[in-house]
Amino acid sequence: MSDLHPERRNFYGRIHGKTLRQSQKGYLAEDLDSLRPRGITWDENPDRTPLDPTALFGGKEVWLEVGFGGGEHMVAMAAANRDIGIIGCEPYVNGVAMLLGKIRAAEVTNVAVHPGDARDLMDVLPDASIAKAFLNYPDPWPKARHHRRRFVTPDHLIPLHRVMKPGAEFRVASDIPDYIRQTLEEGPKAGFTLVHEGPDAWDNWHSTRYEQKALREGRAPHYVTFRR
Ligand SMILES: C[S@@+](CC[C@H](N)C(=O)[O-])C[C@H]1O[C@@H](n2cnc3c(N)ncnc32)[C@H](O)[C@@H]1O
């Protein structure tokens, strides 16, 4: 499932979880192929030729969700904004299967799914092609020596900045104070302008599994908005 180029980059998160339900295996076998944009994997596009993301959605503007987990936020955004297209990236197969189930249930058609690392997608996105980006509850990597694995590092944020349109919004939600600290430090270094940060969610926010887990465990969500 993962298409990480072994000589180029490592992915430290989980790719497989508990055994998939029969229905989830069905979603992966039947639905993923038609939702998966071609030319993102290294096998399909070794020269990293840019793709045209708007062509995926008949010319609509394109949003990006990094690490959609179970897909609840991504599907809610797609359902509430049928005039845009949203591409989600997630290497965790169980998450992809959950998302596919939700796509069927919500009958949304303005979605595309890259079942892998967001860096591989960003490689092949043209400059200034993404109109909004979401990073919800990214992997916290709590140990100091693992902080460089966090998404909010130059390896990820510089390519993200390049692919976003000038003025486009980049949203980050996390319950980990040190992650927010690093986000506020690294975002501007990568060229993003801070618009807002605080404990109140965006008006059109849709909570996620990881946010619900944080709330159950007594941790406080924090929301950061940048502009490209
Ligand atoms: C803590 S989970 C949060 C999932 C979901 N956003 C939520 O709020 O419930 C973080 C997710 O980010 C994914 N992830 C980590 N690095 C990624 C990358 N480079 N590209 C895409 N997804 C990534 C992980 O596989 C994991 O599922």
Side-chain angles (χ1 to χ4, degrees):
M1 169 72 59
S2 167
D3 48 43
L4 307 168
H5 194 278
E7 283 155 26
R8 252 186 70 108
R9 47 179 68 124
N10 295 317
F11 176 71
Y12 297 100
R14 277 198 307 178
I15 289 179
H16 294 279
K18 57 180 191 237
T19 310
L20 295 167
R21 287 199 302 272
Q22 212 49 45
S23 57
Q24 294 179 320
K25 288 183 185 164
Y27 306 149
L28 288 168
E30 291 160 29
D31 299 356
L32 184 56
D33 201 54
S34 61
L35 292 170
R36 182 176 77 76
R38 298 302 187 266
I40 299 173
T41 66
W42 285 80
D43 284 349
E44 286 175 359
N45 185 357
D47 300 332
R48 316 311 281 148
T49 305
L51 48 96
D52 177 6
T54 50
L56 297 170
F57 303 109
K60 291 175 179 171
E61 76 174 37
V62 182
W63 297 2
L64 168 67
E65 181 159 336
V66 173
F68 55 72
E72 40 290 310
H73 177 271
M74 179 170 158
V75 169
M77 285 292 148
N81 300 278
R82 307 250 175 188
D83 55 334
I84 58 93
I86 179 161
I87 309 184
C89 303
E90 176 57 70
Y92 183 51
V93 181
N94 301 59
V96 174
M98 278 189 261
L99 169 81
L100 297 176
K102 294 190 180 91
I103 289 174
R104 279 197 188 190
E107 298 182 353
V108 289
T109 54
N110 51 334
V111 287
V113 185
H114 169 53
D117 194 311
R119 290 172 294 181
D120 288 340
L121 172 63
M122 294 189 296
D123 279 353
V124 295
L125 286 176
D127 292 358
S129 55
I130 296 296
K132 204 180 270 244
F134 305 101
L135 178 66
N136 297 329
Y137 294 84
D139 290 328
W141 296 112
K143 292 182 184 156
R145 67 190 159 89
H146 290 157
H147 287 180
R148 67 190 142 169
R149 296 182 183 178
R150 287 176 171 173
F151 194 90
V152 291
T153 48
D155 273 1
H156 304 87
L157 294 180
I158 290 172
L160 180 65
H161 185 268
R162 177 186 69 76
V163 304
M164 290 184 69
K165 290 180 187 292
E169 194 176 74
F170 169 39
R171 296 180 173 185
V172 184
S174 176
D175 58 321
I176 308 294
D178 190 66
Y179 202 100
I180 295 295
R181 174 200 62 73
Q182 192 170 346
T183 301
L184 295 174
E185 199 173 294
E186 294 293 336
K189 277 202 229 162
F192 291 99
T193 304
L194 180 66
V195 176
H196 189 258
E197 51 127 342
D200 300 315
W202 302 277
D203 285 346
N204 59 354
W205 169 243
H206 187 93
S207 187
T208 67
R209 283 163 70 88
Y210 272 83
E211 178 163 273
Q212 290 305 312
K213 183 168 184 278
L215 291 169
R216 279 197 306 276
E217 294 172 3
R219 292 186 303 276
H222 201 91
Y223 307 93
V224 180
T225 310
F226 290 112
R227 249 180 224 298
R228 151 74 159 91

